[in-house]
Amino acid sequence: MADKTRPWVIALEEHYWDSEVVSHFAGESRAPNIVQRLEDMDALRLKEMDEAGIDLQVISHGPPGTQRLNPEIAAEVSIRANDRLRDAIAARPDRFAAFASLPTVDPTAAADELERTVTRLGFKGALIHGLTNGVFLDDKRFWPIFERAQALDVPLYVHPSSPHPAVVDIYYRDYLQDFPSLLGAGWGFTVETATQDIRLVLSGVFEEYPNLKIILGHLGESLPFSLWRIDHAPPAPATSRSPSKRSSATTSTSPPAATSPPPPSSARCWRWAPTASSSPSIGPSSRTRPAQSGWKACPSAPRTRSRSSAPTPKGSSSSNVYQGPPGRGL
C-alpha cells in the first residue's frame, strides 16, 4: 500500500516485452531474470514496485522495438503490441499507464499511431529508442511525429540505444571484446542520447514546434552538467537555440534538478527527492501530497544491489528485421 504522506512517485522508464515484437529478434537475448521481469505485468511487477516505493509505472516496450522492423510490417506490429499493452494496464489503471511503441521507420504511420494510442487508448505519449536505421531524430523525415506530439500535447521519451555503427567502429571497437558494456549503459548509450538531444535543439525543431516536449532520463543523459560549454557552440544569431534555454523550456530531465548539484556536506551521497506530480495527464490528480523536492542526504550506509550482466545481444537473422537500404520508409 502506498504511503500517502510522501510525494507521489511515478517511474517513466519502465519496460516490458511483447511476445510478437521480440519474436522478430530471435537472435537477441537477455538474462533469464531480466526476461522474467520484462514479461511480467502482474504480481511480480507490483511487488517490486511496492518494495521500491513506486506508485505508478508508465510502461513502454524495451529494446528491441518495432522501429527496427521492416517498414512493411512495423506499423501493423506496433498497433497489435500497443493494443495488448492497453489491455494489460487496464487491469490496474491505478498502478500502470503507458507510452506507445512507434514504427518510426515509417514516420507518417508513427505519427498516426501516436494519435491513435493517445486519443483511443489513453496512452501518455511515446518512447523512441535512439536512431532509426542509423538516422538521427532531427532528420526532417521524423518531424511529422513531433508535429503530432505537439498537437496532442504529449511527451516523447528519447530512450538510449546503441551509437551509430560508424561511431562504434571508430570509438569503441578496440575495447568491446573485453569491455562490452562500454558500448551500452557504461558510456555509449549516454553519449548517443545526449547527442540526439543536442541535434534536436540545433535543428530548429523547437522553433517549428515550440510546445514540443522531450523527456530524457538518467539525469538528462549528462547534458545538465555540460550546458555551459555546449552553449558556446551556436553562433551568435542562433542564441535562441542554446541547449540550456531549450532544456528548461521544452526538455524534461529526470530528476529535474540535475542542473543544481547537491550541497556540500559530510553525507556520503545525495539523492533527489521528487515533488508531488504536477501532471494530471500522467499521474492521478486526485492524489494530493506535499511538495518535497530537494536534495536529501542518503542514509549513512547507501543500499546497493547486485545486477546480473545480460549477454551481449547478437544480430538477428529474421527476415522481418530491417537490414538493408531503405525502400518504403527509412
Side-chain angles (χ1 to χ4, degrees):
M1 182 64 66
D3 179 1
K4 295 183 179 181
T5 64
R6 61 169 175 76
W8 179 266
V9 178
I10 300 173
L12 297 181
E13 190 177 318
E14 303 297 317
H15 295 324
Y16 84 107
W17 264 4
D18 178 86
S19 58
E20 181 184 5
V21 174
V22 298
S23 70
H24 294 289
F25 302 92
E28 301 193 16
S29 62
R30 300 290 188 274
N33 64 317
I34 300 298
V35 174
Q36 178 189 15
R37 285 160 173 79
L38 288 169
E39 294 178 345
D40 180 88
M41 295 285 284
D42 194 9
L44 177 60
R45 185 176 292 260
L46 290 167
K47 173 180 176 291
E48 295 187 341
M49 286 172 63
D50 290 339
E51 291 173 350
I54 295 172
D55 298 299
L56 184 140
Q57 283 190 350
V58 184
I59 299 175
S60 55
H61 199 282
T66 57
Q67 69 190 75
R68 286 178 52 192
L69 296 175
N70 276 321
E72 288 75 15
I73 68 166
E76 294 179 359
V77 175
S78 295
I79 289 171
R80 291 193 292 269
N82 287 326
D83 285 347
R84 286 188 288 268
L85 177 57
R86 182 270 316 272
D87 293 341
I89 66 174
R92 289 302 304 265
D94 58 323
R95 304 301 302 274
F96 299 143
F99 281 146
S101 293
L102 299 183
T104 54
V105 69
D106 185 345
T108 300
D112 291 342
E113 180 60 3
L114 176 62
E115 181 169 355
R116 186 188 77 90
T117 55
V118 170
T119 60
R120 299 185 185 181
L121 307 186
F123 284 15
K124 308 307 179 183
L127 182 141
I128 299 175
H129 293 285
L131 306 176
T132 296
N133 296 331
V135 182
F136 285 96
L137 285 173
D138 60 281
D139 190 290
K140 287 201 172 183
R141 285 173 287 183
F142 295 117
W143 286 29
I145 302 173
F146 302 137
E147 180 181 22
R148 201 72 60 91
Q150 175 179 265
L152 294 165
D153 193 26
V154 295
L156 299 174
Y157 193 115
V158 179
H159 184 267
S161 189
S162 296
H164 190 283
V167 173
V168 174
D169 189 56
I170 295 172
Y171 279 79
Y172 301 105
R173 186 70 62 192
D174 295 341
Y175 293 96
L176 289 184
Q177 182 173 351
D178 294 331
F179 306 99
S181 64
L182 182 67
L183 184 62
W187 185 244
F189 283 0
T190 293
V191 175
E192 185 272 334
T193 311
T195 302
Q196 285 262 45
D197 194 58
I198 293 172
R199 291 177 62 108
L200 284 172
V201 170
L202 299 181
S203 72
V205 70
F206 293 112
E207 280 70 37
E208 186 72 18
Y209 309 112
N211 294 317
L212 175 65
K213 299 178 180 66
I214 298 293
I215 300 175
L216 299 179
H218 316 113
L219 289 173
E221 303 296 350
S222 80
L223 283 176
F225 303 98
S226 303
L227 285 179
W228 186 88
R229 295 173 65 92
I230 298 171
D231 276 352
H232 286 71
T239 53
S240 65
R241 297 186 187 180
S242 66
S244 63
K245 291 182 179 180
R246 285 302 173 192
S247 68
S248 62
T250 59
T251 306
S252 297
T253 60
S254 177
T259 53
S260 301
S265 169
S266 59
R268 295 174 61 181
C269 69
W270 291 85
R271 62 182 174 85
W272 177 256
T275 185
S277 171
S278 60
S279 177
S281 64
I282 292 181
S285 58
S286 60
R287 296 293 295 272
T288 302
R289 288 174 172 168
Q292 298 176 0
S293 293
W295 288 103
K296 309 292 184 182
C298 292
S300 57
R303 183 176 63 180
T304 60
R305 60 180 180 179
S306 60
R307 300 179 63 181
S308 300
S309 58
T312 303
K314 299 179 180 178
S316 171
S317 59
S318 170
S319 60
N320 285 328
V321 178
Y322 186 90
Q323 296 177 341
R328 184 173 73 87
L330 295 179

